[in-house]
Amino acid sequence: MGLFILRRLGVMLLTALCLTFIVFWLTNLYPNLEKLAKTQGNFRMSDEAVASYLDKNGYLEPLPVKFGQWLGVLPGWVKEVDGTETGKCFNAGTPVEARPTFCGVLQGDWGSSTVFKADVGGIVAERLGLTGKLMFFVMLLMVPMALLIGVLAGMREGSRLDRSLSTLSIASTATPEYVSGVIFIAVFASSAGWKIFNGSATSAMEDATFVNFTLPVVTIALYGMGYIARMTRASMTEVMTAQYIRTARLKGVSFGNIVLKHALRNALIAPFTVIMLQFPWLLNGVVIVETLFNYKGFGWVLVQAAGNNDIELLLAVSVVSVIVVLATQLISDIGYVYLNPRIRIS
Amino acid sequence: MEPLTWGEIFVRVVLQLTPVWIALVVIFALSITFKRRLGLYGKLFDSTVGMIGFGLVMFWVFAGILGGPLDMIVTHDPLSQISGMKNKPPGTALLSPDEGQYEYFLLGGDNLARDVFSRVIKGAWIVVQIAPMATLFAFMVGITLGLPAGYYGGRLDTVLSFLANLILAFPVILLFYLLVTPEIVLTGIPNYMALFLFVFPLVFATILLNSRYHTQPKVRTPLLIAVIGLLGWLYLSLVSTNGAVVATPDYRIVGLPTFVDLFDIDPGILVVFVSVVFVNSPTVFRIVRGLAMDIKTRDYVAAAQTRGEGPWYIMLWEILPNARGPLIVDFCLRIGYTTILLGTLGFFGLGLASESPDWGTTINSGRQLLRAFVHPAVVPAVALLTMVLGLNLLADGLREESLRD
């Protein structure tokens, strides 16, 4: 088991390294750098001005060197322009003895954002907190609802309840967030429908209330709910046809007791994996919903960073999302082994 | 003139869609009459859910085809603006209709005074074209790489699976934001990706036919020449624009000359298409690989191996036909997923032009004024919802029917 986790961690590290390199490469293509220079300077910069801006800020070094500097395994660039020395790791004002040679991810320095003019680590931590709040409520709503629908649908396969709940779950998986969000705003938060909720969740960042936080939470939860419910249903129907359930029935155990005491525990093993693997998908939903409802969390930062080619912020965002994806995969594998004693990893 | 009531709007929309209803009735009547002779497709008409799904999907397919290239259903030009119709509610009459012009905006006007109804129909054509084609290409890539990975296993499998997981670990939206930008189009990267991804149908068809007929050179040689010639021509037309395969400001790689180039694809659409194929392929790869690993232990595969058949014959003519059930179901689901992805791209304003009538872009432009004017965003949202729902129900019906025997 220990070896298995160690190997998985190794693969994770390799994947994260490859992915960040791809992001690094794509964001450092010359047209992207040109766009960055123009958004930082002005839009009518000449080609020479762009080149000199990029050179002054260390963007024109070879790609592997820049990547090494970002990682913190190569010394940061140092440039001397007009007698003042600037570098990746310090400003002109920093005293010479306080200037570090290396400043990269390994040293805990994630660089600075060109859009927000602030430290990347701080931005990401703050926004992750906001998104964490959103996700917490999403999970709180989505998981119990999905399990309930799945168990209810799966306990009597083919019944009318099963058919209607299954159709409901299909409908929910067929409704992407930008569709359900738009419809929810139209019905519950516009002048044409009832004005029960707020169509914007900006105020929910400080103070989340029922009025301003319901729509974004429901919108994200709805899309994931159908999928988990269908998996739970499949697993539940399988358990309900097992021999030991039939034995319990023949012994005269009541239907409620069979479902709650005999079937449920075994039926919930498969959905656990699905719920964990749902996290990366929720990330997509978060980006869409935060854009739609103007909730300035992690997804909103991703859109801002990507739209403005904010290289270091984008890299931090991708590192975080890759870690989320890979960590949930790992947890789902380990959890599966613990929940299901029949599975052994050699 | 008075604006229409909701009942009148409904009647007029239904009447406007008459060609679609006729086409639907014809296809349902034909399919139900001959359903015993149509295999899995015919069996679909035994399941209510499957029929509803099929009906919804075909509704949009017919609406797209009849309204798009044939120009039948639409009431106004989807791009032209008509004065005084900005953000008008559904059923508003035109201020001063010209001779022969349709007098109403049936589903209202959007923020640029264009007809919402016509835009949704034209948007259906874009979705109906791109989504199935992109899914098909993704399947070609996934099958061509997934079969050997599952069949041979070993180091090939390790490398390919690692690459697939690498792409899958990317958040889709981040990938889109990195790939689908005008700056990336300038570097020519989408063209290189197109060169790589679009070659798979050609490779697939060649291996498929060669593995079957290589023992009969008299059949094989002319067949392969014809197929490679035709598909190769299509491939080269697909990847080359204005006589170049890759054209960046710094250099260009010469492609098919313009006079034999069958069609040109707009660079905006090409990059959307390529990235959707790129995102979908790894999932298909994983499914095909899993199926191949499962099926290769069957007796008929062992029998084929004992007969001395080549590995590609076994993969393509023994394993693939027996994996068709789950693959067909996944194909339907994946078209729906691709539709959602296209909508996501439009929602973030990536790739397609901002005046494009496709549903995602329309939702994006409608959402700015959503709190005040609901209809410009809700109509395409409902359209996308029904289409994807139809595909999901269709897949569910197919799964149920294919499991039955």
Side-chain angles (χ1 to χ4, degrees):
Chain A
M1 189 73 194
L3 200 70
F4 165 76
I5 295 179
L6 220 67
R7 250 186 63 193
R8 288 292 298 264
L9 283 175
V11 174
M12 250 171 88
L13 207 68
L14 188 63
T15 313
L17 211 62
C18 288
L19 278 179
T20 41
F21 186 74
I22 294 172
V23 175
F24 203 82
W25 170 61
L26 285 171
T27 46
N28 274 288
L29 288 167
Y30 195 75
N32 273 332
L33 290 178
E34 202 178 331
K35 183 174 135 194
L36 177 72
K38 285 185 175 169
T39 44
Q40 289 304 305
N42 68 63
F43 279 95
R44 274 172 291 171
M45 265 165 128
S46 66
D47 287 351
E48 292 80 45
V50 167
S52 91
Y53 169 86
L54 292 176
D55 187 43
K56 215 163 62 187
N57 288 292
Y59 287 115
L60 291 183
E61 306 205 1
L63 189 69
V65 175
K66 275 191 289 184
F67 189 62
Q69 290 178 358
W70 176 76
L71 274 180
V73 293
L74 289 178
W77 54 267
V78 176
K79 286 247 154 53
E80 205 178 309
V81 185
D82 310 329
T84 51
E85 210 173 38
T86 55
K88 178 179 162 57
C89 310
F90 52 86
N91 309 325
T94 323
V96 179
E97 58 277 9
R99 293 176 179 178
T101 330
F102 295 93
C103 57
V105 175
L106 292 178
Q107 284 79 30
D109 185 350
W110 291 83
S112 65
S113 155
T114 47
V115 181
F116 297 102
K117 310 278 180 230
D119 208 35
V120 166
I123 299 174
V124 170
E126 186 200 337
R127 304 295 173 177
L128 264 181
L130 286 170
T131 296
K133 186 163 80 172
L134 183 63
M135 295 297 271
F136 173 75
F137 284 103
V138 168
M139 284 294 169
L140 208 63
L141 177 72
M142 182 174 81
V143 173
M145 281 296 286
L147 293 181
L148 187 69
I149 292 178
V151 168
L152 283 179
M155 66 185 190
R156 284 186 218 266
E157 196 186 359
S159 66
R160 187 169 294 165
L161 183 71
D162 174 28
R163 290 205 170 273
S164 42
L165 285 178
S166 295
T167 315
L168 197 75
S169 348
I170 294 180
S172 109
T173 47
T175 321
E177 293 88 355
Y178 52 90
V179 167
S180 50
V182 160
I183 293 177
F184 282 146
I185 293 180
V187 175
F188 296 115
S190 74
S191 48
W194 302 287
K195 278 199 144 178
I196 308 173
F197 299 113
N198 271 5
S200 155
T202 316
S203 55
M205 293 191 313
E206 278 98 47
D207 170 37
T209 62
F210 185 66
V211 172
N212 61 21
F213 216 40
T214 307
L215 288 186
V217 169
V218 172
T219 306
I220 303 182
L222 193 69
Y223 187 49
M225 200 164 74
Y227 189 64
I228 301 178
R230 292 185 75 177
M231 291 297 141
T232 316
R233 178 190 171 271
S235 152
M236 187 75 188
T237 51
E238 205 187 307
V239 171
M240 288 303 280
T241 53
Q243 296 290 341
Y244 70 93
I245 297 287
R246 196 199 294 174
T247 313
R249 273 211 110 157
L250 293 177
K251 278 197 321 196
V253 182
S254 73
F255 189 72
N257 266 339
I258 287 180
V259 171
L260 290 175
K261 289 194 178 151
H262 297 249
L264 207 54
R265 193 176 296 179
N266 278 318
L268 291 184
I269 296 173
F272 170 77
T273 337
V274 178
I275 293 169
M276 290 314 292
L277 294 178
Q278 205 62 14
F279 265 98
W281 288 108
L282 288 176
L283 196 69
N284 265 331
V286 162
V287 179
I288 294 172
V289 164
E290 287 184 358
T291 311
L292 185 63
F293 289 95
N294 211 10
Y295 182 82
K296 298 188 172 82
F298 185 70
W300 182 82
V301 165
L302 189 154
V303 170
Q304 294 301 316
N308 294 300
N309 202 42
D310 188 340
I311 297 173
E312 285 178 332
L313 184 56
L314 204 51
L315 282 166
V317 166
S318 20
V319 169
V320 171
S321 32
V322 166
I323 288 175
V324 169
V325 172
L326 299 176
T328 47
Q329 277 175 8
L330 185 67
I331 294 173
S332 91
D333 283 358
I334 297 170
Y336 196 68
V337 176
Y338 271 108
L339 286 174
N340 193 346
R342 282 169 296 186
I343 305 275
R344 280 282 170 265
I345 293 168
S346 49
Chain B
M1 264 187 298
E2 286 291 299
L4 299 172
T5 61
W6 285 106
E8 284 171 331
I9 294 173
F10 180 74
V11 171
R12 277 177 181 262
V13 168
V14 170
L15 281 180
Q16 203 61 34
L17 290 168
T18 316
V20 177
W21 305 129
I22 295 174
L24 276 180
V25 168
V26 169
I27 195 162
F28 265 84
L30 283 177
S31 307
I32 292 176
T33 319
F34 298 109
K35 71 177 173 186
R36 293 284 159 252
R37 284 191 244 159
L38 291 170
L40 182 62
Y41 168 75
K43 273 193 232 144
L44 190 64
F45 292 86
D46 290 331
S47 117
T48 326
V49 171
M51 275 208 286
I52 296 173
F54 184 71
L56 282 172
V57 174
M58 288 321 279
F59 172 82
W60 285 113
V61 170
F62 285 132
I65 294 172
L66 295 171
L70 300 177
D71 229 5
M72 279 164 84
I73 304 157
V74 291
T75 51
H76 296 89
D77 181 59
L79 296 182
S80 64
Q81 311 177 357
I82 293 174
S83 66
M85 298 306 286
K86 191 172 164 181
N87 289 325
K88 283 284 181 287
T92 310
L94 261 59
L95 288 179
S96 51
D98 297 334
E99 192 67 36
Q101 201 176 18
Y102 198 82
E103 293 107 339
Y104 297 97
F105 268 15
L106 283 175
L107 296 177
D110 65 4
N111 59 345
L112 290 173
R114 297 169 299 195
D115 183 30
V116 171
F117 176 74
S118 306
R119 284 178 69 77
V120 165
I121 300 289
K122 287 284 182 194
W125 175 232
I126 297 180
V127 173
V128 165
Q129 272 176 296
I130 299 183
M133 278 306 282
T135 315
L136 193 67
F137 274 96
F139 262 75
M140 289 287 127
V141 178
I143 289 173
T144 317
L145 296 177
L147 283 176
Y151 184 73
Y152 290 119
R155 194 159 296 167
L156 179 78
D157 182 30
T158 316
V159 172
L160 286 175
S161 294
F162 178 75
L163 288 177
N165 289 337
L166 194 67
I167 301 170
L168 286 175
F170 248 115
V172 179
I173 293 178
L174 180 65
L175 199 64
F176 281 159
Y177 256 108
L178 289 173
L179 280 179
V180 191
T181 59
E183 286 78 26
I184 295 285
V185 174
L186 275 183
T187 61
I189 287 173
N191 298 87
Y192 287 113
M193 288 173 71
L195 271 176
F196 174 70
L197 292 173
F198 293 171
V199 83
F200 279 96
L202 185 65
V203 173
F204 178 77
T206 312
I207 299 175
L208 184 77
L209 294 173
N210 187 47
S211 61
R212 182 84 170 82
Y213 293 110
H214 71 109
T215 48
Q216 303 152 263
K218 274 205 181 113
V219 186
R220 191 253 324 239
T221 314
L223 189 70
L224 274 188
I225 289 174
V227 167
I228 293 179
L230 190 71
L231 286 180
W233 189 18
L234 284 174
Y235 168 69
L236 287 174
S237 317
L238 201 63
V239 293
S240 45
T241 313
N242 290 331
V245 176
V246 181
T248 68
D250 305 326
Y251 65 96
R252 53 188 268 139
I253 299 174
V254 182
L256 212 56
T258 326
F259 59 94
V260 279
D261 198 348
L262 292 174
F263 39 80
D264 280 341
I265 298 180
D266 177 70
I269 293 195
L270 183 77
V271 67
V272 166
F273 196 89
V274 166
S275 34
V276 171
V277 173
F278 185 68
V279 168
N280 269 319
S281 312
T283 329
V284 181
F285 165 83
R286 288 230 291 217
I287 295 169
V288 174
R289 171 179 168 270
L291 287 168
M293 282 169 83
D294 174 31
I295 294 177
K296 79 172 177 191
T297 56
R298 303 283 168 87
D299 287 345
Y300 50 77
V301 174
Q305 282 164 339
T306 320
R307 261 194 339 257
E309 303 285 4
W312 280 104
Y313 178 86
I314 295 173
M315 282 183 241
L316 290 170
W317 292 92
E318 301 282 349
I319 294 178
L320 190 59
N322 287 297
R324 70 181 184 282
L327 287 184
I328 291 172
V329 171
D330 186 69
F331 188 73
C332 286
L333 284 176
R334 201 148 290 285
I335 296 177
Y337 180 60
T338 310
T339 312
I340 292 180
L341 283 185
L342 286 174
T344 312
L345 278 169
F347 180 79
F348 286 107
L350 298 170
L352 297 162
S354 62
E355 78 272 5
S356 154
D358 76 287
W359 296 335
T361 312
T362 321
I363 293 174
N364 183 35
S365 63
R367 78 184 161 96
Q368 268 96 29
L369 293 172
L370 190 58
R371 278 88 183 165
F373 305 104
V374 163
H375 59 276
V378 167
V379 174
V382 171
L384 198 144
L385 170 63
T386 47
M387 167 120 176
V388 179
L389 181 65
L391 284 162
N392 277 283
L393 292 176
L394 180 63
D396 209 53
L398 281 174
R399 178 179 1 214
E400 220 166 79
E401 292 303 317
S402 67
L403 281 181
R404 195 162 286 180
D405 45 39

